[in-house]
Amino acid sequence: MELKFKFSPATMDQISILMFIGKSGMHDGTSDHMAVSFVKGFIMLTWNLGAGPRRIFTSRPIEKDKEEYLVKLGRSERRAWLAVEGLGNVTGRSKGKFVQLDVVPMLYLGGYDSLYFSTLPHDLPLHTGFEGCIFDVELKAGSVVIPLQSSRHALGRAIGQCGISECHENSCQNGGICLHHASTFSCLCQDGWFGPLCSLQYNPCDETRHNCSSGSVCVPYEDTYECNCPFGKTGKFCQNNNELTDITFSGKRSFLSLIAVDLIPTKFDIQFELRPLSEMGLVLYIGSNGKSFFSLSIQSGFLELRTLPANRIQTTKEVLILRSRKLLAKGNWYNVRVGQFGRKLYVAVENITNTVLLERNDHLKLSGDLIFLGGLADMSELPTVAVATLPIPYTGCLRRLKIDTKPIDFNFSTVKISQNVDDCDGTPCGGDYCKNNGICWLDSQLKPHCSCTKFYGGSRCENPVSCQEKGCRNGGKCVNYGCNCVMGFSGAFCETATKVTTPEFMGNSYIILKKIDKKRDLGKIGVKSLYINFTTADKNGLIFWGSKHENFVGIGIEGGHLKLAYTIKNGNRTIIEIPETESLADGIWHTLEISFGKTNLLVKIDGKIVLSQNQSNFVADLFDLSDGVLYLGGLPTEKNETIWQKTHNMFHAYFKGCIKAFGINNILAVTDFSHYDGSNIGICNVI
């Protein structure tokens, strides 16, 4: 490998980084890396292949006042060399026997992205970022020469165009002093002059001159001003008081943040409708100090999710990136769903879903963080790796937000702070105003009202009528003022017919199996083996239960691992837990196979044997379920009875997740559950 570049220092009195390539995270005395340093005119090359650092450097400093300097460096196994134009060639060999440089493919020029360079190797000099220009960077691998500046995507901060100062002659007017800040500038005005360029003899945001209403913020421009409006205020001067339902973001310093929501660490779901008016922009951001974040943006018309797990460092290589396949046309509404289910992260647009898997040791730490919509108060605080390009606020509309199925209204109880947001359709009757299929209408004063269905009341149809008053439909039972619906029906009063092919269990659900198919009654079948195909992100839950008199068999998850509990004819209870396996509460579909032989118990997970155990007291047809009833996901309980009591103190919780298939005695017989009885069963929409 060979690398060459040119540089021009702004000052000789600096100790700084010219180039660095290394590993992720904190570097120690054995971390592989390669670095070029500028040490008050001397050029130093440091490299470490894992056995300790080696340094070589020029014999004298570079000549002053040259326009540019050429640096060449390379490495072959343990040997490395450094050549600086006019100063000759220096070579050396690294310590130890290692010959490979094991680093991430990220080349840093002029600085590093950790705070105060604190994660860099301690064998490097105490560095600052380089002051000056670096250009014409080329990498040579074998016979291939790659001009890096023109062929690779680049990230950085505080970078300006070399040789050009933003402080040209006419930047600041009327004696103002120009302060150069890399790619921009600011003006320090003389007394009596105001404005970004010191061109005004008055401050346009003086409280005696601007018309921004109380609570808004005046923003000065070169010869005018604009008003930043707080939540609920709209208009040029923020003079209007509006109740907002469908939110529109102007894209000009606009954003909205919700009061912190407690998200379940391994499972959360965010749904909303989106109407973009631009091809770029930040839609959603959850994060704290960039240590872990969840960032959704539009990039060239496609939604892109970028996530940084809490155990990773903030580099492009460590960020998980997922793009949707659905192109968003400007001006159209789209149903969007993003979130996490176990190890799965997903983005769904109009039911077109894309997923990516977290590593097993990855975890997001987002609970308690603010949720930002449309942008941030200061877009420069967005981590550089949270979006693919420059951080741009979202322009367009957003409505019907739900977090973990709970509708979120935009009002003063849910919004912590916002700026420059307005109503999308310009009328009080937005898509979010009336809830639960209520119809919005305007009176002669243009005030909104809702006509509710018979199942809901309240000014916005937000309150379900008590089932004790209306009763539950289609065989549903009224429990604690809400309806528990039988299989095949849903809704607040079980009024909506649904066909459940693959069932979702909600944590208070169960399915009753009396027949394996139309011909075979479970009461006539002895259970010799079981097959279950399931997925869950919850660490505890009862998956299967069968019993007769005092005998029972229960299969579930406890602490993320498989648990099997049973009694046989002698009444002795046996509990088998298999903690050695990877967690099953990871959102991935798993197959579970259990065979009950005369003297042997065999358990397979995803085709792999995890338990083979001799049981001398087994008998043929271990569970002779002559009453012919099996349960999936839970089982019915009496009033004030818990699942813990019902399962003889074996399982703490109902199952939450989906079951795709169930079989008995090596017969995969049930893949369509629509003909079975059950309670509180939903349609599986697990990604």
Side-chain angles (χ1 to χ4, degrees):
M1 180 201 79
E2 295 183 19
L3 181 72
K4 73 175 183 178
F5 60 89
K6 295 178 181 178
F7 75 95
S8 176
T11 175
M12 299 288 282
D13 189 21
Q14 59 176 309
I15 301 176
S16 55
I17 294 176
L18 285 170
M19 183 279 294
F20 180 83
I21 185 169
K23 301 177 75 69
S24 299
M26 181 67 71
H27 291 76
D28 57 27
T30 60
S31 297
D32 288 21
H33 70 272
M34 198 169 195
V36 179
S37 305
F38 184 95
V39 185
K40 296 191 175 183
F42 291 87
I43 309 301
M44 182 174 72
L45 173 65
T46 306
W47 74 103
N48 189 335
L49 303 182
R54 176 67 199 274
R55 300 189 188 97
I56 56 177
F57 48 87
T58 57
S59 59
R60 63 182 187 276
I62 60 175
E63 297 179 16
K64 293 183 179 181
D65 302 325
K66 285 187 64 175
E67 290 188 1
E68 60 186 48
Y69 304 87
L70 175 64
V71 175
K72 296 181 180 180
L73 60 120
R75 187 195 64 84
S76 177
E77 296 186 342
R78 292 170 53 207
R79 178 174 169 268
W81 62 92
L82 170 69
V84 180
E85 187 176 16
L87 297 180
N89 188 31
V90 188
T91 64
R93 289 181 179 272
S94 64
K95 300 177 181 179
K97 298 181 180 180
F98 298 121
V99 296
Q100 297 292 329
L101 183 66
D102 182 16
V103 295
V104 297
M106 178 74 73
L107 180 68
Y108 291 90
L109 298 173
Y112 196 65
D113 63 358
S114 67
L115 185 64
Y116 306 125
F117 302 162
S118 57
T119 62
L120 289 181
H122 294 305
D123 52 270
L124 296 180
L126 184 62
H127 282 93
T128 62
F130 178 68
E131 294 181 57
C133 298
I134 300 176
F135 51 99
D136 292 349
V137 184
E138 288 185 358
L139 176 67
K140 183 178 180 181
S143 60
V144 179
V145 177
I146 305 172
L148 297 183
Q149 285 174 266
S150 59
S151 64
R152 293 294 182 271
H153 177 65
L155 294 172
R157 63 169 179 255
I159 301 298
Q161 175 61 43
C162 184
I164 296 178
S165 172
E166 296 293 334
C167 289
H168 52 81
E169 291 182 3
N170 297 318
S171 292
C172 300
Q173 302 174 24
N174 301 303
I177 299 173
C178 183
L179 304 177
H180 184 214
H181 306 290
S183 57
T184 186
F185 70 95
S186 63
C187 293
L188 186 63
C189 300
Q190 299 288 344
D191 288 345
W193 292 96
F194 303 90
L197 301 179
C198 307
S199 59
L200 301 176
Q201 290 184 299
Y202 61 89
N203 181 357
C205 283
D206 188 286
E207 61 181 13
T208 62
R209 289 184 173 271
H210 74 79
N211 294 319
C212 297
S213 67
S214 176
S216 60
V217 176
C218 180
V219 180
Y221 276 71
E222 183 175 354
D223 56 0
T224 184
Y225 67 91
E226 290 184 356
C227 302
N228 282 344
C229 301
F231 183 73
K233 294 279 190 176
T234 62
K236 181 177 180 180
F237 303 116
C238 313
Q239 72 276 16
N240 301 322
N241 294 312
N242 279 355
E243 184 176 359
L244 305 179
T245 54
D246 304 350
I247 297 292
T248 183
F249 297 88
S250 66
K252 185 179 288 187
R253 304 182 303 279
S254 57
F255 75 96
L256 182 148
S257 71
L258 300 173
I259 292 173
V261 177
D262 289 329
L263 299 175
I264 299 174
T266 59
K267 184 178 66 173
F268 65 89
D269 181 78
I270 301 175
Q271 301 178 49
F272 52 87
E273 293 182 12
L274 197 68
R275 181 175 177 259
L277 297 177
S278 66
E279 294 183 344
M280 309 289 285
L282 181 67
V283 176
L284 168 74
Y285 181 79
I286 312 172
S288 176
N289 300 320
K291 294 180 180 178
S292 181
F293 63 73
F294 188 89
S295 175
L296 182 72
S297 63
I298 301 177
Q299 301 292 332
S300 301
F302 293 90
L303 282 177
E304 180 179 272
L305 175 65
R306 288 182 167 232
T307 303
L308 179 69
N311 53 301
R312 301 191 184 192
I313 63 171
Q314 195 184 121
T315 64
T316 302
K317 183 178 183 296
E318 296 294 300
V319 172
L320 291 169
I321 302 173
L322 176 64
R323 270 204 168 196
S324 75
R325 301 192 305 269
K326 178 73 174 179
L327 178 65
L328 306 183
K330 289 188 286 187
N332 292 344
W333 283 102
Y334 295 93
N335 291 299
V336 177
R337 184 178 171 212
V338 296
Q340 178 185 5
F341 186 76
R343 288 175 54 203
K344 288 182 183 177
L345 300 175
Y346 56 87
V347 177
V349 182
E350 296 296 327
N351 295 320
I352 299 174
T353 304
N354 294 85
T355 63
V356 66
L357 280 181
L358 294 164
E359 298 293 337
R360 289 197 176 274
N361 61 336
D362 285 341
H363 59 280
L364 303 182
K365 293 184 67 175
L366 305 175
S367 186
D369 288 342
L370 296 179
I371 297 177
F372 288 89
L373 300 174
L376 303 181
D378 183 353
M379 291 295 288
S380 68
E381 294 182 355
L382 190 72
T384 56
V385 292
V387 288
T389 56
L390 293 175
I392 300 172
Y394 167 68
T395 303
C397 299
L398 189 148
R399 69 184 183 190
R400 291 177 177 158
L401 174 67
K402 291 183 179 180
I403 299 178
D404 291 333
T405 71
K406 179 183 178 182
I408 305 295
D409 291 330
F410 297 115
N411 54 47
F412 288 102
S413 65
T414 59
V415 175
K416 183 176 180 65
I417 187 173
S418 80
Q419 187 171 275
N420 298 341
V421 298
D422 204 340
D423 190 79
C424 184
D425 64 1
T427 72
C429 273
D432 270 353
Y433 190 79
C434 297
K435 309 300 180 183
N436 300 303
N437 298 317
I439 298 174
C440 184
W441 56 277
L442 300 176
D443 62 19
S444 59
Q445 304 297 318
L446 298 181
K447 292 184 178 180
H449 302 272
C450 293
S451 295
C452 305
T453 66
K454 59 184 177 181
F455 300 116
Y456 294 91
S459 61
R460 298 176 64 177
C461 311
E462 71 276 19
N463 300 321
V465 178
S466 169
C467 60
Q468 293 181 344
E469 177 183 342
K470 286 287 186 180
C472 300
R473 301 291 187 88
N474 301 303
K477 293 182 179 180
C478 185
V479 179
N480 296 328
Y481 304 99
C483 290
N484 284 351
C485 301
V486 300
M487 188 89 154
F489 293 93
S490 63
F493 294 88
C494 312
E495 72 276 12
T496 304
T498 57
K499 182 178 180 180
V500 180
T501 302
T502 301
E504 180 175 6
F505 298 80
M506 309 297 187
N508 60 347
S509 316
Y510 60 86
I511 287 179
I512 303 171
L513 298 176
K514 294 183 178 180
K515 291 186 177 182
I516 197 67
D517 56 28
K518 293 181 179 179
K519 296 181 179 180
R520 285 170 286 191
D521 193 312
L522 285 176
K524 301 176 182 179
I525 298 177
V527 179
K528 298 178 181 178
S529 66
L530 294 172
Y531 173 93
I532 305 173
N533 188 200
F534 70 94
T535 181
T536 183
D538 282 68
K539 292 185 176 181
N540 298 289
L542 173 66
I543 298 176
F544 170 87
W545 184 263
S547 64
K548 179 186 177 183
H549 305 310
E550 296 300 319
N551 294 329
F552 65 83
V553 58
I555 301 169
I557 295 177
E558 190 165 289
H561 302 285
L562 182 67
K563 178 178 180 179
L564 172 64
Y566 61 87
T567 61
I568 51 179
K569 290 186 176 180
N570 60 15
N572 293 330
R573 296 185 181 185
T574 301
I575 300 174
I576 299 175
E577 297 178 346
I578 309 177
E580 295 82 8
T581 60
E582 298 286 354
S583 173
L584 299 176
D586 56 6
I588 298 173
W589 287 99
H590 294 286
T591 58
L592 172 63
E593 300 170 82
I594 302 180
S595 298
F596 307 101
K598 290 184 178 181
T599 60
N600 181 263
L601 174 66
L602 182 68
V603 180
K604 292 182 180 180
I605 297 177
D606 299 328
K608 180 181 178 181
I609 296 175
V610 296
L611 179 69
S612 181
Q613 191 175 90
N614 290 324
Q615 298 284 350
S616 59
N617 53 358
F618 267 18
V619 294
D621 298 346
L622 176 62
F623 302 106
D624 180 14
L625 302 172
S626 59
D627 53 0
V629 179
L630 301 177
Y631 297 94
L632 294 179
L635 63 162
T637 57
E638 302 298 328
K639 187 177 181 180
N640 298 324
E641 185 181 28
T642 66
I643 191 75
W644 175 251
Q645 295 167 329
K646 190 72 173 181
T647 59
H648 308 289
N649 302 340
M650 291 294 158
F651 295 93
H652 293 273
Y654 284 82
F655 178 67
K656 289 184 181 180
C658 296
I659 294 178
K660 187 186 295 184
F662 174 79
I664 291 180
N665 298 347
N666 298 317
I667 303 171
L668 182 59
V670 182
T671 56
D672 182 352
F673 291 83
S674 59
H675 302 294
Y676 291 87
D677 294 330
S679 179
N680 295 324
I681 298 295
I683 299 173
C684 182
N685 58 4
V686 168
I687 304 302

